[in-house]
């Protein structure tokens, strides 16, 4: 065991270790709900692992891996109602799966195909945000707007540890606190912003401490514990709906995969720490919990995994069957009054694509 870092101390947990640390329970989830959580975790894990393969095969573009982040995504969405809005970063690109979005839509997004452009209002899932932290004010604004209209809806913004150094995070957090917006600021603290470690990111003792400056409560929990994530989000949602404003959740894990398919973390990360995290990854931990409670056996686990694998086989086939998009789309949605040069540019693009 490497030494426990200060950032990993005093985290809320529900799932035990099957040994000295006992399992806890959470209110609000019956046995069927718990198995459904496992199904969702496996779907997300399968999406992620297959996407890495599809990238290596040249079938999708650069891909932001979310291996071991699944518990944060599944735990949060489980605590929301369908009317509540989700604002994902690239790390939560597939979170729409948990709202019934087809997997081929998300694969198309990573293929750079317009079939991946969903209407956010269809799923209450905003577009994937690649600029760091710029969606935090969007989530806060939507939540505040819903409150002004008297709707009971809340919003969740997902962002990383690095995002808490960005101006837009602070502007959004300040607004949320002042307006008592019904929003949850959910920080996936995987302790890395590409190759920048947490200790070079902030002088704050914990990221949750930043919430104090904005007058909102904060919770620190084990981000690989789906039940701890669910419980904290459920409480934050209740507070938001009661009119008591935002909550900051700091979910601590350790990034156990490269930042993205374009990254080689061997240049900067400690491989022993990564291996340790891979041993305590979130899907296996919840599987152990279900087995100890005799809610899951080998047959059911295999059926759930087979179903998820089939979802992905069907999805990549569908995404690849999409006809090439009209190149005019590159230009037509860019300006209300397109510059005249666009006609020439489009004609040239068509010539290049035709191989002339
Ligand atoms: C505004 C902005 N600056 C820089 C980048 C380049 N960039 C992409 S990912 C990343 C690291 C973000 O780290 P973190 O917020 O911890 O999220 P994680 O990737 O770990 O989930 C950076 C700096 C960007 N996408 N947007
Ligand atoms: Mg990070």
């Amino acid at each position: 065991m490497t030494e426990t870092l200060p950032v990993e101390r005093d985290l809320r947990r529900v799932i035990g270790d099957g040994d000295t640390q006992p399992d806890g329970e959470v209110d609000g989830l019956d046995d069927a709900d718990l198995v459904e959580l496992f199904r969702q975790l496996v779907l997300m894990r399968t999406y992620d692992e297959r996407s890495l393969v599809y990238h290596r095969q040249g079938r999708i573009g650069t891909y932001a891996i979310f291996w071991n982040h699944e518990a944060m995504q599944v735990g949060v969405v489980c605590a929301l109602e369908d009317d509540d809005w989700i604002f994902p970063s690239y790390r939560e690109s597939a979170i729409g799966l948990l709202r019934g979005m087809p997997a081929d839509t998300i694969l198309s997004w990573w293929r750079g195909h317009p079939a991946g452009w969903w209407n956010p209002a269809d799923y209450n899932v905003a577009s994937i945000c690649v600029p760091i932290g710029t969606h935090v004010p969007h989530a806060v604004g939507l939540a505040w707007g819903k409150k002004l209209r008297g709707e009971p809806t809340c919003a969740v913004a997902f962002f990383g540890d690095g995002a808490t150094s960005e101006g837009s995070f602070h502007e959004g957090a300040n607004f949320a606190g002042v307006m008592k917006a019904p929003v949850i600021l959910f920080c996936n603290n995987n302790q890395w912003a590409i190759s920048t470690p947490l200790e070079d990111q902030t002088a704050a003792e914990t990221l949750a401490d930043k919430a104090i400056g904005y007058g909102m409560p904060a919770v620190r929990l084990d981000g690989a514990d789906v039940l701890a994530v669910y419980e904290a989000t459920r409480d934050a949602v209740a507070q938001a709906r009661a009119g008591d404003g935002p909550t900051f959740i700091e979910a601590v894990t350790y990034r156990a995969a490269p930042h993205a398919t374009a990254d080689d973390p061997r240049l900067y990360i400690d491989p022993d720490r990564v291996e340790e995290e891979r041993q305590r990854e979130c899907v296996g931990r919840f599987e152990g919990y279900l087995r100890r409670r005799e809610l899951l056996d080998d047959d059911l686990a295999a059926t759930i995994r087979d179903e998820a694998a089939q979802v992905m086989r069907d999805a990549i086939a569908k995404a690849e069957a999409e006809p090439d998009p009209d190149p005019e789309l590159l230009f037509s949605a860019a300006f209300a009054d397109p510059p005249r040069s666009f006609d020439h540019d489009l004609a040239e693009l068509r010539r290049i694509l035709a191989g002339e």
Side-chain angles (χ1 to χ4, degrees), residues 282-341:
C282 64
V283 180
R285 278 175 67 194
F286 189 55
E287 178 165 354
Y289 177 88
L290 291 182
R291 285 178 186 264
R292 290 193 289 279
R293 291 191 56 172
E294 298 187 354
L295 294 174
L296 189 75
D297 58 18
D298 289 349
D299 283 351
L300 182 55
T303 303
I304 288 172
R305 290 202 160 89
D306 288 350
E307 281 170 6
Q310 191 58 46
V311 166
M312 292 311 296
R313 276 193 290 273
D314 293 346
I316 192 71
K318 191 150 183 238
E320 289 183 325
E322 285 289 343
D324 285 346
D326 186 336
E328 191 184 351
L329 280 171
L330 275 176
F331 300 89
S332 59
F335 288 91
D337 297 315
R340 253 183 292 148
S341 60

Side-chain angles (χ1 to χ4, degrees), residues 162-204:
T164 66
S165 304
E166 287 282 345
S168 41
F169 161 75
H170 293 278
E171 289 159 19
N174 189 55
F175 229 89
V178 172
M179 299 303 173
K180 283 202 179 300
V183 69
I184 294 147
L185 303 181
F186 190 96
C187 180
N188 125 46
N189 180 2
N190 61 14
Q191 305 188 50
W192 289 92
I194 312 185
S195 55
T196 302
L198 184 66
E199 62 267 25
D200 289 349
Q201 186 71 245
T202 181

Side-chain angles (χ1 to χ4, degrees), residues 233-279:
T233 311
R234 185 201 61 198
D235 292 350
V237 166
Q239 170 178 309
R241 292 207 213 286
D244 294 332
T247 300
F248 182 94
I249 298 179
E250 179 187 354
V252 180
T253 54
Y254 193 86
R255 212 189 66 214
H259 168 73
T261 49
D263 175 38
D264 181 359
R266 287 173 306 177
L267 295 170
Y268 59 83
I269 216 163
D270 171 8
D272 292 339
R273 180 66 185 82
V274 171
E275 191 43 42
E276 205 175 282
E277 189 66 20
R278 293 186 77 86
Q279 294 305 320

Side-chain angles (χ1 to χ4, degrees), residues 122-141:
D122 288 346
Y123 303 97
N124 295 340
V125 176
S127 307
I128 298 166
C129 189
V130 177
I132 305 301
T134 56
H135 57 315
V136 176
H138 301 167
V140 173

